[in-house]
Amino acid sequence: MKLRNLHPDENAVSISIGFILTFSITVLMLVTVLSSFYSLMDQAQQTVTRDEFEIHGTDITVRIATIDTIVGSATNSGSEIMEITYKLSLPGKIAGKPYSIEFDNNTKDIVFLSDERDETIVKVPYYTDNVAVLSTTLYSLKEEYVITYEPTTNTIQIF
Amino acid sequence: MRILKRGGMRKSDEHGQLLLVAGFAVGLGIVVLTIMLNNVIYASNIASESSIDTSRYDMANAIQMTSETYEDAYRYAMKDGSFNSTSFEQYLDSYAKLASKNYAISGLTFNFENNTLHEPYFSQNGLANGKDNWTIASNINTTDVFVLEIPDTSKLGNSSNSMTITITNSSGFLWSIELFSSSGSINVTVSDQSSEIGTYIASSQINITGNKIDFITTPSPSFQFSDHTAGSNYSINILNGSNAVGYCTFAGHMTSGEQFTFVRHWVGNPVITMHSSEMRIKRNLPITLPGRNT
């Protein structure tokens, strides 16, 4: 039997099976495309989260360094600081997730940790010469924080 | 398709491909647009502009301005020869008003609280709790005026915690004067690196460069200050400065040829408060009067 004769013969072709095959292939393709999009988005969110953490971390270290400089120059010139207070506003959620900020006095790091995402830990180091930063952990949903210098203990408190 | 074939319209059944290709193109376009838009939205929401903070420069500026104003106010109050406290207060009041107006333009409140003038200690900032051991000036070539005046011997330490002014250069100690209270008078001991030059009793004033005690040259004290310091690049240091209250005047030339002056008759200690929407700083500022720019 020649193959050419077989080709127009559609006796063994079922419309329903053809439909099922086409449909399942379409569904599979859609699922693949969607899930790849999802993972792409997830990666993009992590990148953005890390970027934002670094930006906010640097912002906080600038404030800490400012207080340190002001205290250092005042002490050198024989002045006394009675109060330094900075307001700090940070977003409650970054890329849709709340996060925590930990100030570690031993390693001198600000550790940003996003909720439910293990990959998005960002450590921003800070340095102080004249004052110490008290170790503490902040939770992002509060949004408004205060960085204050305590003259009696010569420490920076963040709450 | 089968129906079309049977009807003999085979030619037109391939037009669907074009529609399909167009559909794919539109779909791809939407995906690309979505991704681009997403990136634009992310980029515009990222926090990048919030880290500009100029408060430390504002504070430094305020400190410099206030110190200079105090010195100017003192000079203004002394223009008739004696200190006129009314002129001094008026000068500072008008400064406070002008400065707060000036800072208000840049969104800062500036408040400055003038306190009474304090009697000057020999410590670094001139206050009783100031740094005891400090250097008035370095790289000095000649000192033309070196006068100390201690009006109240009850605030002078005794022999165990005497106030000392030393002259040192890179190779070490050159000359020193030690002052302590002894039965209501000032006991003065002058030494060089190896031995004692002399001991004297004064009641208030010691003029080292003029070789005078209590404004007179008798009984001819010889402090030998310039003999021991001539030609060296030296520093004037104070030790145990908070153990004495009094006035001092130093003037001369630096090794670079510039003039230096340090005169302390009073110490002002105002409190400066600055406040903006996101920060608040409050500090005091000990100011030596008349200061270094007289």
Side-chain angles (χ1 to χ4, degrees), chain B residues 4-18:
Chain B
L4 284 176
K5 269 188 219 166
R6 278 187 202 132
M9 292 169 74
R10 211 185 155 87
K11 223 178 172 183
S12 60
D13 82 334
E14 296 190 357
H15 283 183
Q17 282 183 345
L18 266 181

Side-chain angles (χ1 to χ4, degrees), chain A residues 10 15 37 40-41 44-45 48 51-52 55-56 59 62-63 65-66 69-70 73-87 95, chain B residues 2 5 31 35 38 42 45-53 55-56 59 124-125 127 129 131 271 273 277-286:
Chain A
E10 295 183 358
I15 295 175
F37 258 110
L40 203 76
M41 284 296 289
Q45 276 184 340
V48 165
D51 284 352
E52 289 255 336
I55 290 163
H56 291 304
D59 205 16
V62 167
R63 296 285 158 85
T66 304
T69 317
I70 292 175
S73 69
T75 319
N76 274 345
S77 67
S79 298
E80 195 183 315
I81 300 282
M82 293 151 186
E83 185 187 356
I84 304 176
T85 306
Y86 275 100
K87 269 193 209 163
Chain B
R2 259 176 293 182
K5 269 188 219 166
V31 168
I35 292 173
N38 230 344
Y42 265 137
N45 276 321
I46 221 152
S48 58
E49 77 278 9
S50 61
S51 56
I52 302 159
D53 175 47
S55 57
R56 76 174 98 173
M59 194 68 201
Q124 186 197 19
N125 62 10
L127 301 173
N129 59 0
K131 204 170 157 189
V271 176
T273 312
S277 60
E278 49 176 37
M279 66 99 187
R280 187 180 158 88
I281 301 178
K282 187 177 183 185
R283 61 174 281 175
N284 68 1
L285 178 64

Side-chain angles (χ1 to χ4, degrees), chain B residues 15-32:
Chain B
H15 283 183
Q17 282 183 345
L18 266 181
L19 275 175
L20 210 64
V21 170
F24 269 120
V26 169
L28 200 71
I30 289 173
V31 168
V32 168

Side-chain angles (χ1 to χ4, degrees), chain A:
Chain A
M1 198 189 284
K2 282 184 180 173
L3 208 66
R4 213 187 301 162
N5 297 333
L6 200 65
H7 185 63
D9 181 13
E10 295 183 358
N11 281 337
V13 176
S14 149
I15 295 175
S16 49
I17 291 178
F19 176 75
I20 290 168
L21 275 174
T22 323
F23 182 73
S24 52
I25 289 168
T26 316
V27 167
L28 264 174
M29 287 296 286
L30 261 175
V31 167
T32 318
V33 168
L34 279 179
S35 62
S36 64
F37 258 110
Y38 184 78
S39 68
L40 203 76
M41 284 296 289
D42 200 45
Q43 274 180 11
Q45 276 184 340
Q46 283 177 16
T47 316
V48 165
T49 310
R50 271 197 289 270
D51 284 352
E52 289 255 336
F53 282 171
E54 275 170 21
I55 290 163
H56 291 304
T58 316
D59 205 16
I60 299 173
T61 53
V62 167
R63 296 285 158 85
I64 292 175
T66 304
I67 295 178
D68 188 54
T69 317
I70 292 175
V71 171
S73 69
T75 319
N76 274 345
S77 67
S79 298
E80 195 183 315
I81 300 282
M82 293 151 186
E83 185 187 356
I84 304 176
T85 306
Y86 275 100
K87 269 193 209 163
L88 183 68
S89 296
L90 295 176
K93 287 180 180 177
I94 286 177
K97 298 269 193 240
Y99 55 96
S100 66
I101 311 165
E102 187 191 343
F103 294 83
D104 192 333
N105 191 18
N106 297 318
T107 57
K108 299 214 169 193
D109 274 326
I110 304 173
V111 185
F112 283 80
L113 177 62
S114 187
D115 196 28
E116 296 170 26
R117 274 201 207 110
D118 294 337
E119 297 90 345
T120 48
I121 296 180
V122 171
K123 289 184 177 180
V124 183
Y126 64 85
Y127 179 75
T128 53
D129 218 6
N130 310 292
V131 295
V133 179
L134 292 185
S135 295
T136 180
T137 305
L138 309 174
Y139 297 96
S140 68
L141 293 171
K142 195 184 163 197
E143 293 193 0
E144 297 288 329
Y145 313 92
V146 174
I147 305 181
T148 182
Y149 169 69
E150 184 57 59
T152 48
T153 53
N154 200 27
T155 50
I156 294 176
Q157 289 182 353
I158 300 156
F159 54 86

